[in-house]
Amino acid sequence: MTSPHLTPPQAPTPDELAALRQRYHRERERRVRPDGPRQYLGADAEFGFYAADPYVGEVPRREPRRDTVDVAVVGGGFGGILAGARLRRQGVERIRVIDRGGDFGGTWYWNRYPGVHCDIESHVYLPMLDETGYVPRWKYAPGEEIRRHAIRIAERAGLYADALFSTSVTALTWEESSRTWRVDTDRGDAFRATYVVTATGTMAEPKLPGIPGIKDFEGRTFHTSRWDYGYTGGTPEGGLTGLADKRVGVVGTGATGVQVIPVLARDARHVYVFQRTPSTVDVRANRRTTAADVAAGREGWARERRENFLRIVSGEPFGEDLVADGWTSSAGLLEKLVPSFRRSGDRASFESAYEAADAAKMNEIRARVERHVTDPATAETLKPWYRYACKRPTFSDTYYPAFNRSNVTLVDTADSHGIERVTANGVVVGGTEYEVDCLVLATGFSVGVSGVHSGTLPVHGRDGVRLLDAWARHGIRTLHGFTCNGFPNLIQLGSLQNASSVNFTHVLDEQAVHAAALVAAAEAKGALLEPSREAEDAWLAVLTQGSPDHEWFHAGCTPGYYNREGRGRPNGPGGYPHSACAFHELLRHWREESLDEVLT
Ligand code: NAP
């Protein structure tokens, strides 16, 4: 199958490459800010329609829990739901999922902005399709279908009975005498759990821009993950009748902005898009699911397709490209280069071949802007000038055409490193005030920050040692990212010291299977789960020895969360240095051969 996306890009000449390098450097310099990540305010900043959960009415009253469960799962997004479902399959009875939202869904609970879709193919993104028999309706599913699927899995696994919603865990404390974790929450709960699984997400904390004056704005302000439908009217499908007479300012043109702006353009009186860095916006080509997509329902089709996608985006050899979309075709750029680099170790040849392929891809994206945007100045402003993997790629067939509408104005903020200031009535850029009634902040999330890692969810292990103190003294130490010495029966899911992928639900499902196997093995043996210091050392050595050199690439990139707002990505032990496929294989092998080493 061939991708509908790409005619083979033309290779640029050496002169063109040199000119591109200079242009990329200039564009990066227009955007790098001395305050880097400090330009953002945390989710606790007091302005706008943020703190409330817009999706529950009144939070139901309930008695605090004081009982004991088998497993407490912190977080009811896909990580927590999958952990619950996989634990249930292992025969675990009392599973209590706790989430600050009013229902299951995590990311898909909070992100219900107009136009919300998943830009990873639904047939590989939605987990447990083989097990539930569910067939997604579209190649790229709307958020509500995904949220419903999360609920479907939770219902089938019987996770509702013991779940605690609108509840935040405030402390996890190991009690040696009972060999259980005490779980405290902001609703007065103080119950015990033999095991704790943390699945608190990697993009759960909204980032708000610290633009001077933003707190003085007298119109309506909200972050896209807390959409105020009471104000805008409508649903995630659109019909935002409340905006028909409103001027809306949008800050942010990342993956979220690209989805929300076309819907706002259709429904609002006027939309001002305050752009700092344009995204790469490639072909979407959404369509209904076909029998071929799901291999006519053959058993195991979803597992096979998901594995095929992971192999392609991880740079592993694959047979047929089953998904054939923008993710797999762009990953194909590297797929041809990485194996020969791994064989030869010739970095210089790899880098120059990679740069040429990257430039061809970016030329193609820039040509797409010209094809779709009629006003040449607007088209020029929408062109991305950086290497493809510097920013997360996005996909839309409605984004660029939205800028041809007379009610949409693109405002370039790059020269002032973002919006200059916000007044009571509007937004100032380049000395011009744009009056708006409403400010939509599509400004993203603090990436990789969960309560465990930021300290808002303190974890005290054996002898009262705080996890963050232990890591501050000795560095982050885990076995496979899941378990830590001194913190028995605690299993962390997420992106710590393990392998990741753009298809994060796949990664989470493999982690959930692993977590459930650990619990089942500990239960069978009546043992505690705890890796030795030596096992952690050995894992650190794996992370360090194979650690790739990212700095050369990310240091030259335009600022964003991939490179700590332009500061580069540190080398050294971060995640597993090989592919997610290799990591999953390693886990399977370890479970068969060595799992006993963590049973004490
Ligand atoms: P994001 O990628 O972090 O983008 C934030 C945007 O806000 C950027 O365009 C940024 O500009 C802009 N911005 C921030 N401060 C600004 C200021 N002071 N003035 C002007 N512009 C400012 O956030 P996101 O779009 O919400 O996406 C976050 C992540 O969520 C994605 O990368 C993806 O992983 C996930 N996501 C996934 C999907 C999906 O379909 N699977 C959909 C949406 C989101 P700069 O680029 O210049 O910093």
Side-chain angles (χ1 to χ4, degrees), residues 477-479 483-486 531-541:
R477 299 172 55 85
T478 68
L479 175 59
T483 51
C484 303
N485 181 266
S532 63
R533 304 278 298 169
E534 292 70 32
E536 291 179 335
D537 286 339
W539 186 241
L540 267 183

Side-chain angles (χ1 to χ4, degrees), residues 77-149:
F78 270 123
I81 294 168
L82 290 166
R86 299 299 180 188
L87 284 161
R88 191 69 87 205
R89 287 184 159 224
Q90 291 282 6
V92 178
E93 284 178 12
R94 292 216 57 192
I95 303 166
R96 175 169 294 156
V97 181
I98 310 106
D99 197 283
R100 63 179 158 170
D103 200 345
F104 285 106
T107 290
W108 302 101
Y109 176 84
W110 295 107
N111 286 279
R112 302 194 205 184
Y113 55 83
V116 60
H117 275 68
C118 183
D119 63 12
I120 307 289
E121 199 208 62
S122 60
H123 313 114
V124 300
Y125 182 80
L126 292 187
M128 298 190 86
L129 291 178
D130 292 313
E131 292 86 342
T132 58
Y134 182 70
V135 176
R137 291 175 301 135
W138 291 88
K139 188 167 171 74
Y140 303 98
E144 185 59 12
E145 184 178 3
I146 302 171
R147 195 176 73 82
R148 291 260 138 226
H149 187 63

Side-chain angles (χ1 to χ4, degrees), residues 53-60 101-103 109 166:
D53 176 344
Y55 314 115
V56 284
E58 203 166 315
V59 174
D103 200 345
Y109 176 84
S166 302

Side-chain angles (χ1 to χ4, degrees), residues 40 117 119 203 252-256 276-277 391-392 419 444 561:
Y40 291 102
H117 275 68
D119 63 12
M203 287 203 198
T253 51
T256 301
R276 189 164 61 188
T277 313
K391 288 248 172 203
R392 188 185 189 280
I419 290 166
Y561 74 79

Side-chain angles (χ1 to χ4, degrees), residues 31 33 39-40 108 111 113 116-120 125 203 207-211 223-224 251-259 274-279 284 327 391-392 413 417-419 442-445 447 502 558-562 565:
R31 293 175 173 87
R33 294 169 48 132
Q39 68 183 278
Y40 291 102
W108 302 101
N111 286 279
Y113 55 83
V116 60
H117 275 68
C118 183
D119 63 12
I120 307 289
Y125 182 80
M203 287 203 198
K207 261 180 353 193
L208 306 174
I211 302 168
H223 188 269
T224 41
V251 188
T253 51
T256 301
V258 164
Q259 292 185 346
F274 298 101
Q275 172 190 276
R276 189 164 61 188
T277 313
S279 281
R284 175 66 316 171
W327 287 107
K391 288 248 172 203
R392 188 185 189 280
T413 73
H417 303 276
I419 290 166
T443 44
F445 304 87
V447 176
V502 288
T558 194
Y561 74 79
Y562 275 17
E565 304 302 331

